[in-house]
Amino acid sequence: MQKNKKYGVLLANLGTPDAPTAPAVKRFLGEFLHDPRVVDMSRWLWCPILHGIILPIRSPKVAKLYQSIWMDEGSPLMVYSKRQQAGLAQLLNQPVELGMTYGEPSLQQGVERLQQQGVESIIVLPLYPQYSGTTTAAVFDGLAKAMKRVALVPELHFVRDYHNHPLYIQALAEKVRHSWQQNGQGDLLVCSYHGIPQRYAENGDVYPQHCAETTRLLAAELGLSDEQVMMTYQSQFGKEEWLQPYTDKTMAALPAKGIKKLDILCPAFSVDCLETLEEISEQNQEIFLHAGGEAFHYIECLNDSASHIQMMAALVEEML
């Protein structure tokens, strides 16, 4: 990148409904689940199922789940994303904008806001540490679509992944150590990653390899043996086989194996959201305790922690 060009940063994430209501959730899920990167079924087959069955039934249920985690300032994902934006802009002293693959602010809006500030070169930082075609590549697709609508295409630099970056691993370890200081160390540390269909991995998606490396590096940073850490996959959707082991089934089985005190974190999520605050911290905690577990400690995401913001700044500076 030429140093005389004014640069800015586009922080990209999945997105969130703008309200914890069935209509807002329906709009968001409709856009999300319509993306072929997420569900690659034939459109003529998938669209009637999506709009005729899934959205009408699922939207009110998901809206109630969002209501249980909604913050005074809004959706947790958006609240923490805005804090990340402000923190990184302050640290870099450069323009930083948000762009969501689904919902608002959109990727196009993020690009336009950067250009309005005179930015010529944009560093795109998708906040997905582990690459997947379902997430990181969807950001790339969204940017390509957005470029069709801007008069002047900016210079783009794309951070593909950072699953093994030392500062990312250190930031995760810091969160784990803080939990241990507060609650004591459990019998096992579980790293729960968002799942993808097994077929996607067989077709070349490197996501499971990235998840495994993150888990291995985190265990090494914490000085944990293979018996003290494991990785699982959550958030399965549909009847197709997804990456295993499944988090919920693991929670049900661990107490019978002598694991009574559990620590769990979600390294693939850069901010706390429905999948962490409700699915893991509530649903899976209930499964674990009901199966005979005694203590379940959910470790929050990196969110807007100082170490996380510093890691983002390092990724940007490496691009420069």
Side-chain angles (χ1 to χ4, degrees):
M1 183 187 298
Q2 297 178 18
K3 291 186 177 181
N4 61 341
K5 288 186 178 180
K6 183 174 181 179
Y7 80 89
V9 180
L10 181 66
L11 292 180
N13 210 327
L14 188 80
T16 177
D18 53 23
T21 63
V25 170
K26 186 176 182 180
R27 286 194 301 272
F28 174 73
L29 289 180
E31 185 179 1
F32 171 51
L33 295 176
H34 195 269
D35 189 342
R37 287 283 190 182
V38 178
V39 180
D40 63 354
M41 288 174 58
S42 168
R43 298 297 92 180
W44 70 265
L45 178 62
W46 174 239
C47 286
I49 297 173
L50 175 63
H51 295 282
I53 300 174
I54 293 175
L55 292 179
I57 294 175
R58 192 172 178 83
S59 298
K61 295 179 180 178
V62 174
K64 290 183 179 180
L65 299 180
Y66 269 108
Q67 291 166 15
S68 72
I69 65 161
W70 209 257
M71 303 169 69
D72 292 340
E73 303 162 75
S75 168
L77 184 145
M78 187 59 65
V79 171
Y80 289 121
S81 294
K82 288 181 177 178
R83 293 177 186 175
Q84 290 175 337
Q85 175 192 3
L88 185 58
Q90 182 178 12
L91 188 58
L92 293 174
N93 194 28
Q94 296 289 342
V96 178
E97 293 292 340
L98 296 176
M100 302 295 167
T101 310
Y102 316 103
E104 294 188 346
S106 66
L107 293 168
Q108 181 182 343
Q109 289 170 333
V111 169
E112 290 174 347
R113 289 171 183 172
L114 287 171
Q115 289 187 310
Q116 289 165 6
Q117 298 172 69
V119 168
E120 302 173 89
S121 185
I122 299 176
I123 296 173
V124 183
L125 176 51
L127 291 175
Y128 306 116
Q130 299 78 21
Y131 173 89
S132 175
T134 62
T135 51
T136 317
V139 172
F140 192 90
D141 292 345
L143 280 172
K145 186 177 180 181
M147 291 304 104
K148 296 179 180 179
R149 301 191 178 106
V150 298
L152 177 62
V153 174
E155 184 178 89
L156 295 174
H157 301 267
F158 196 87
V159 179
R160 199 193 72 160
D161 65 83
Y162 53 94
H163 69 285
N164 57 0
H165 195 286
L167 293 183
Y168 165 63
I169 300 300
Q170 291 169 22
L172 290 175
E174 180 182 290
K175 285 287 186 180
V176 176
R177 291 191 184 104
H178 178 73
S179 176
W180 287 349
Q181 291 170 0
Q182 297 290 112
N183 308 301
Q185 183 175 343
D187 302 322
L188 180 71
L189 175 66
V190 173
C191 295
S192 178
Y193 296 86
H194 197 293
I196 62 172
Q198 176 66 35
R199 175 170 51 86
Y200 290 13
E202 293 171 355
N203 289 338
D205 198 316
V206 296
Y207 181 69
Q209 290 95 311
H210 281 192
C211 293
E213 186 170 8
T214 295
T215 305
R216 179 183 62 79
L217 292 172
L218 177 59
E221 179 72 20
L222 292 169
L224 297 177
S225 66
D226 292 343
E227 292 73 30
Q228 292 175 298
V229 65
M230 74 176 300
M231 57 182 286
T232 60
Y233 295 98
Q234 64 182 83
S235 309
Q236 295 81 25
F237 178 78
K239 297 181 180 180
E240 185 175 3
E241 181 182 350
W242 283 43
L243 296 177
Q244 296 186 40
Y246 298 141
T247 299
D248 53 359
K249 292 184 178 180
T250 301
M251 293 301 104
L254 284 176
K257 298 179 181 179
I259 304 298
K260 301 293 185 178
K261 298 179 181 179
L262 187 74
D263 300 315
I264 184 168
L265 78 161
C266 302
F269 296 87
S270 63
V271 291
D272 275 306
C273 55
L274 187 70
E275 287 81 2
T276 65
L277 297 173
E278 197 283 328
E279 182 182 353
I280 296 300
S281 186
E282 294 182 19
Q283 288 186 32
N284 278 273
Q285 177 171 204
E286 183 178 347
I287 293 171
F288 180 73
L289 297 179
H290 182 75
E294 297 173 359
F296 181 102
H297 298 297
Y298 168 66
I299 302 170
E300 67 177 9
C301 293
L302 297 180
N303 293 326
D304 60 331
S305 64
S307 58
H308 197 198
I309 302 301
Q310 289 165 2
M311 182 216 72
M312 294 181 198
L315 290 173
V316 171
E317 290 164 357
E318 287 169 12
M319 277 289 181
L320 294 175

